[in-house]
Amino acid sequence: YKIGDWVFIGKTNANGSVFIELLPKIYKFAMTHAGRKKYKYQDITTDTQVLFQTIGVMVFSRDSTGIGIPGAKVSCYKKTWESIGTTDINGLTALELLPAKYNFKMEYAGSVNIKYQDIAIDPVVIFTTNLVEIKLINSTGEGIEGGTAYYKNRVWQKIGATDASGTAAVELLPGKYSFLME
């Protein structure tokens, strides 16, 4: 709470509460959680419970057909990038945050994508990959089987061999890539 300078009340307990004895009047309270601070003016004469509520945020990784991608690494920027975890079999990871705007980062298959989103407006953050096809063709436009395709975002990643139509495909997060064919 604040009377002139901010006074630290303490960290919340396992129930999410912290207690202090104050004289009845209007105070400005602040709550810091996960790198964000929220403020609230409250007259404790009429209501002694000051409530700050988090929002359940769901971060999804989806491929180009809408199917969840398991194993994608998810981070949230809270003064530094902090891991939220990896997506489950449904392409989901979740956390609780104070309502605000946050940067979310998804890392998948050697690629990285960042989204800035106000979770108070929309607490569902969706990262979607694009199906990228790499073709190896001859001078007449016919596909060549057996070429090996690679892409690079930060490091070279093998996509695989081209099929009978000369195509190799991979799901990638939106971004800039270099491609290589052997």
Side-chain angles (χ1 to χ4, degrees):
Y1 71 97
K2 185 174 183 173
I3 306 175
D5 289 333
W6 283 102
V7 177
F8 179 67
I9 298 172
K11 292 189 175 199
T12 56
N13 62 23
N15 295 327
S17 301
V18 64
F19 301 93
I20 188 169
E21 293 285 334
L22 295 171
L23 293 170
K25 65 180 245 172
I26 298 172
Y27 291 90
K28 182 178 183 181
F29 293 91
M31 175 65 71
T32 302
H33 174 69
R36 293 294 187 276
K37 188 179 283 189
K38 288 291 178 184
Y39 301 95
K40 180 181 278 194
Y41 284 96
Q42 188 159 325
D43 184 350
I44 63 166
T45 307
T46 57
D47 187 0
T48 60
Q49 185 177 24
V50 182
L51 182 64
F52 289 89
Q53 187 161 354
T54 60
I55 294 175
V57 180
M58 295 184 297
V59 182
F60 287 97
S61 61
R62 299 275 184 241
D63 71 12
S64 59
T65 65
I67 296 172
I69 301 171
K73 294 179 185 176
V74 182
S75 302
C76 182
Y77 193 81
K78 310 170 194 173
K79 297 186 181 182
T80 62
W81 285 108
E82 294 182 22
S83 175
I84 296 170
T86 57
T87 55
D88 65 14
I89 195 160
N90 299 311
L92 168 67
T93 188
L95 73 157
E96 293 281 330
L97 294 171
L98 285 170
K101 294 178 181 178
Y102 294 88
N103 278 310
F104 295 93
K105 178 169 66 172
M106 175 80 55
E107 296 178 64
Y108 172 71
S111 60
V112 176
N113 196 242
I114 296 172
K115 283 191 170 198
Y116 184 63
Q117 187 162 322
D118 187 343
I119 63 159
I121 295 170
D122 184 3
V124 179
V125 182
I126 300 173
F127 289 88
T128 304
T129 61
N130 296 315
L131 179 62
V132 180
E133 292 184 343
I134 299 89
K135 292 190 85 73
L136 177 60
I137 57 173
N138 65 20
S139 61
T140 62
E142 295 173 3
I144 301 173
E145 185 174 4
T148 303
Y150 298 85
Y151 69 91
K152 181 180 180 183
N153 183 304
R154 294 179 294 171
V155 296
W156 285 106
Q157 303 281 332
K158 184 176 182 178
I159 297 169
T162 56
D163 61 15
S165 70
T167 303
V170 65
E171 293 277 345
L172 295 173
L173 289 166
K176 293 183 180 182
Y177 298 88
S178 296
F179 294 92
L180 170 70
M181 183 68 74
E182 288 184 328

